Amino acid sequence: MKTTYMNPYLAGFLLGLTLLATIVITGRGLGASGAIKSAVVATVNTIAPSHAHESTFYSENLKSLHDNPLKAWLVFEVLGVIIGGFLSGVVSDRLNFVTEHGPRITNTMRLGLALIGGLLFGMGSQFARGCTSGAALSGMAVLSTGGIITMMAIFGTGYAVAYFFRKLWI
Amino acid sequence: MFPLVPNLISDELNLIVALVIGIAFGFILEQAGFSSSRKLAGVFYGYDFTVLRVFFTAGVTAMSGVIILGYLGWLDIDFVYINPTFLQAAILGGVIMGFGFIIGGYCPGTSIAGMAIGKIDAMFFVGGGLIGVFAYAELYPWFEGITNASALGNIRIFNSIGISQGLFALIMIAVAVGAFIMTTMIEKKVDPNGPAKSFNQLHHRIAGISILVLGIVLVFLPDYKERLLSEVSDVDYIKANPVKEMTVDELAFRIIDKDPRLTIIDVRTSEEFSRMLLPGSINIETKQIFQKEFSEILGQRHKKKVFVANDEIEARKAALIAHRLGYENITVLCGDITNFVNTVIYLKPETEKQICKYQVMFIGTAPQNLKRVDARQAKDTERFRSKASITLTTMIKEAKDSAVKPTKLVKKVAGGC
């Protein structure tokens, strides 16, 4: 398994060009958590349609996604991310079922923490209307005030509490 | 002019575009090492600042591109999705995600890239994300208030802090370059034997300096619209670019005649417009002339577009912008709207103002149709005006009563994460 990664500045430049192309072609930025939202809305709408139509959250989202939450831009983009990530894994020989964790925690603990972290990210992204990609990165590209505030809040909080969670990583 | 969506790319094609962009996004994320949670978390502990480097470089690249394309007039920022700002929610969400990042080691985009190459922790993170959104959705009645509090609209950071876009970009670039240098030093300290590089080589310095030069250049690249607005605000420019004029009498006649080949573009504010409007006129404020929603109205070549304002120079500015944007058959009303009303409705004697003062001032001659040849024509004009006065008074009143507030429907692209 290779561990050499692309030069970060080159990767950043290419990522920036991808984001710029996205803005120029589609008028919107990149995203990720929006696809997760679509998946949730679609699932709830399939399993409990009456509940979905009674709830403000689901009905608003269903409306903005034209009652077809899976036929959304971000869903297709995220499908692309899976394909692109997989291709990169093939090219760089990094395909492997593994769990990465810090030296002081167990595999099971790491999986539990990943679940909790994901849960927090899922909730947080709904408040902030976007995650690191949609709010922070895309927000920075178009200099959105809200996006940049969210970016500072994410990384600021990360640094502020990093000390208390150091055993998870180092 | 970009973006291509929503006008040039259909919804279906846009989904294919999404897939292709996603592939590039995922490939780069994985190549950068963002599929590894330990690498991502390194940014908070000083052993690996890849996240910061990739993130800042990408942000600066895209931001610079947006500014440069905006300057060239290729990208219309009004059609680009600017994440709306909801102050409390932006901070609260960011703080929650900050905890999520340090506990989970991923963010949504990177976890999907990690999942793609088989990282089991990434799969759990994505699962957690699904549960998190579900929990939020179920508890939405509780969260709705704070989520939607302090809606500040699609505001942009440089306006919020009151500096120019370019200057903010320069600051951002300077911060990024500074962060690159500092974090490299930190990495070396944390792990002297690690793969951390230093910036001693010549090409590193050249790169750093070039990026800063780019930042300085950005300061001098205003948005195309701002540039055009400031250009047409220059009296010398207005002087050098005369626009065709229409006299108050001609306008009055055409209004009464309900001339189908005339469009009156009123560039006053919507409040002023709703207080008094000329029959059949359309309210497009000067800065709105750029908007695509009005391109259909302004683009009708067979119709004469006459610009009216509170001030003839404002009308000329608007007319020149329309001209620069390629619209044809552009005319301005001689004098301003108050003069029109005074002359044609209140039958006050003509003031010097309405005889196209800029034409007189700059070119030195009054327009042909204003030169009275004899007393009979003056008499005719007077007779016309006294009739017109009655008709127009009723028409203006009717226009005001039936005025439908123009719905500012900008077809915007949907966005959001």
Side-chain angles (χ1 to χ4, degrees):
Chain A
M1 197 161 75
K2 283 188 198 168
T3 47
T4 45
Y5 294 109
M6 193 188 274
N7 177 306
Y9 302 105
L10 176 63
F13 181 65
L14 294 175
L15 182 57
L17 288 184
T18 307
L19 176 54
L20 183 61
T22 313
I23 293 169
V24 167
I25 298 169
T26 71
R28 56 173 303 146
L30 296 168
S33 58
I36 295 178
K37 180 169 82 180
S38 277
V40 170
V41 172
T43 310
V44 172
N45 192 35
T46 311
I47 296 172
S50 60
H51 174 63
H53 282 94
E54 278 160 27
S55 138
T56 330
F57 181 85
Y58 296 117
S59 53
E60 273 177 10
N61 278 294
L62 279 168
K63 210 173 125 194
S64 68
L65 296 164
H66 310 291
D67 283 323
N68 197 350
L70 292 181
K71 205 188 152 194
W73 198 90
L74 284 171
V75 171
F76 278 72
E77 185 233 62
V78 161
L79 288 177
V81 172
I82 297 172
I83 299 169
F86 180 79
L87 290 176
S88 165
V90 173
V91 170
S92 299
D93 193 17
R94 275 195 286 265
L95 296 181
N96 206 352
F97 286 105
V98 282
T99 302
E100 275 189 19
H101 59 83
R104 293 196 263 185
I105 59 167
T106 63
N107 246 4
T108 325
M109 247 179 104
R110 166 69 190 128
L111 294 181
L113 289 163
L115 192 80
I116 295 168
L119 193 148
L120 289 171
F121 240 109
M123 293 192 87
S125 65
Q126 298 312 303
F127 283 107
R129 295 165 170 80
C131 56
T132 332
S133 337
L137 184 60
S138 304
M140 183 175 162
V142 296
L143 299 175
S144 146
T145 303
I148 290 173
I149 290 173
T150 300
M151 173 180 85
M152 294 196 293
I154 294 174
F155 288 102
T157 306
Y159 278 106
V161 302
Y163 178 80
F164 306 102
F165 293 99
R166 64 191 185 282
K167 285 186 179 161
L168 307 186
W169 300 106
I170 51 177
Chain B
M1 206 164 173
F2 291 107
L4 300 177
V5 175
N7 293 325
L8 291 172
I9 289 188
S10 69
D11 289 352
E12 264 67 31
L13 182 59
N14 198 12
L15 294 179
I16 311 286
V17 171
L19 191 74
V20 174
I21 284 170
I23 292 174
F25 186 27
F27 192 88
I28 297 164
L29 284 179
E30 208 292 316
Q31 282 296 309
F34 280 15
S35 52
S36 157
S37 55
R38 290 207 68 197
K39 203 167 168 63
L40 291 166
V43 74
F44 296 114
Y45 296 100
Y47 62 80
D48 191 332
F49 281 103
T50 305
V51 170
L52 180 134
R53 292 182 186 122
V54 176
F55 192 91
F56 254 135
T57 311
V60 163
T61 305
M63 172 189 75
S64 306
V66 168
I67 294 175
I68 291 168
L69 294 176
Y71 167 78
L72 295 172
W74 292 3
L75 181 68
D76 187 347
I77 198 76
D78 281 350
F79 281 83
V80 171
Y81 178 79
I82 311 281
N83 324 43
T85 301
F86 293 80
L87 201 57
Q88 283 95 319
I91 297 170
L92 175 67
V95 169
I96 296 173
M97 287 190 275
F99 275 96
F101 211 152
I102 207 93
I103 295 170
Y106 279 114
C107 61
T110 54
S111 69
I112 290 161
M115 187 174 79
I117 63 157
K119 292 279 162 68
I120 297 164
D121 46 345
M123 296 172 197
F124 273 73
F125 187 94
V126 174
L130 290 165
I131 300 170
V133 175
F134 178 68
Y136 176 91
E138 292 304 319
L139 300 172
Y140 187 63
W142 290 356
F143 296 148
E144 201 175 352
I146 188 152
T147 303
N148 297 323
S150 315
L152 301 174
N154 307 83
I155 54 171
R156 306 187 69 199
I157 187 81
F158 51 91
N159 290 327
S160 302
I161 56 177
I163 58 173
S164 78
Q165 171 174 270
L167 186 59
F168 185 84
L170 173 63
I171 294 169
M172 203 79 173
I173 289 174
V175 170
V177 172
F180 295 156
I181 297 170
M182 258 184 48
T183 51
T184 304
M185 283 157 62
I186 296 170
E187 250 176 26
K188 251 193 154 169
K189 252 195 171 147
V190 170
D191 186 3
N193 306 316
K197 295 119 201 142
S198 60
F199 280 124
N200 293 327
Q201 287 168 30
L202 183 65
H203 66 262
H204 288 139
R205 285 182 196 170
I206 293 172
I209 290 165
S210 322
I211 297 166
L212 284 172
V213 169
L214 167 76
I216 293 165
V217 170
L218 292 181
V219 177
F220 300 100
L221 300 184
D223 187 63
Y224 178 69
K225 289 179 194 173
E226 283 173 36
R227 189 160 55 113
L228 204 53
L229 272 169
S230 78
E231 263 181 50
V232 299
S233 299
D234 182 9
V235 179
D236 287 330
Y237 184 85
I238 298 175
K239 199 169 161 180
N241 295 279
V243 183
K244 279 192 198 142
E245 288 131 349
M246 187 180 282
T247 63
V248 287
D249 294 315
E250 185 184 345
L251 182 63
F253 179 79
R254 282 172 173 245
I255 292 174
I256 294 168
D257 196 34
K258 298 204 169 78
D259 188 347
R261 286 156 66 92
L262 178 79
T263 309
I264 304 170
I265 311 287
D266 191 331
V267 299
R268 295 175 303 158
T269 62
S270 54
E271 292 95 66
E272 288 172 310
F273 183 77
S274 59
R275 272 202 293 276
M276 196 283 286
L277 67 154
L278 299 176
S281 60
I282 293 156
N283 185 211
I284 306 178
E285 288 175 39
T286 308
K287 55 179 188 299
Q288 294 178 322
I289 294 171
F290 297 97
Q291 294 178 5
K292 278 182 192 160
E293 58 177 319
F294 297 117
S295 64
E296 215 167 298
I297 294 164
L298 293 165
Q300 291 169 320
R301 273 193 289 178
H302 60 282
K303 281 196 179 187
K304 187 166 265 188
K305 270 77 62 182
V306 56
F307 284 76
V308 301
N310 271 334
D311 169 10
E312 193 181 313
I313 209 140
E314 184 62 31
R316 277 173 190 271
K317 267 163 62 175
L320 285 171
I321 292 171
H323 177 72
R324 281 282 293 268
L325 293 174
Y327 297 121
E328 294 170 45
N329 222 342
I330 304 289
T331 314
V332 287
L333 172 68
C334 291
D336 51 49
I337 199 160
T338 319
N339 267 282
F340 175 85
V341 173
N342 281 344
T343 316
V344 187
I345 297 191
Y346 300 125
L347 304 173
K348 286 186 184 163
E350 284 179 78
T351 59
E352 191 200 334
K353 218 176 169 184
Q354 80 237 16
I355 52 163
C356 290
K357 66 168 176 173
Y358 293 101
Q359 181 81 5
V360 177
M361 198 156 81
F362 300 142
I363 315 291
T365 53
Q368 284 299 315
N369 49 9
L370 264 184
K371 286 182 185 161
R372 307 262 173 276
V373 275
D374 51 31
R376 215 176 93 196
Q377 195 182 334
K379 201 95 186 149
D380 284 347
T381 308
E382 214 173 279
R383 201 176 315 122
F384 165 72
R385 285 185 189 166
S386 58
K387 268 187 173 173
S389 160
I390 301 161
T391 324
L392 272 177
T393 309
T394 333
M395 285 179 82
I396 288 177
K397 201 183 168 303
E398 280 171 8
K400 193 189 172 183
D401 294 341
S402 64
V404 194
K405 256 219 155 330
T407 43
K408 283 183 187 168
L409 187 91
V410 184
K411 193 179 176 193
K412 275 224 164 184
V413 276
C417 188

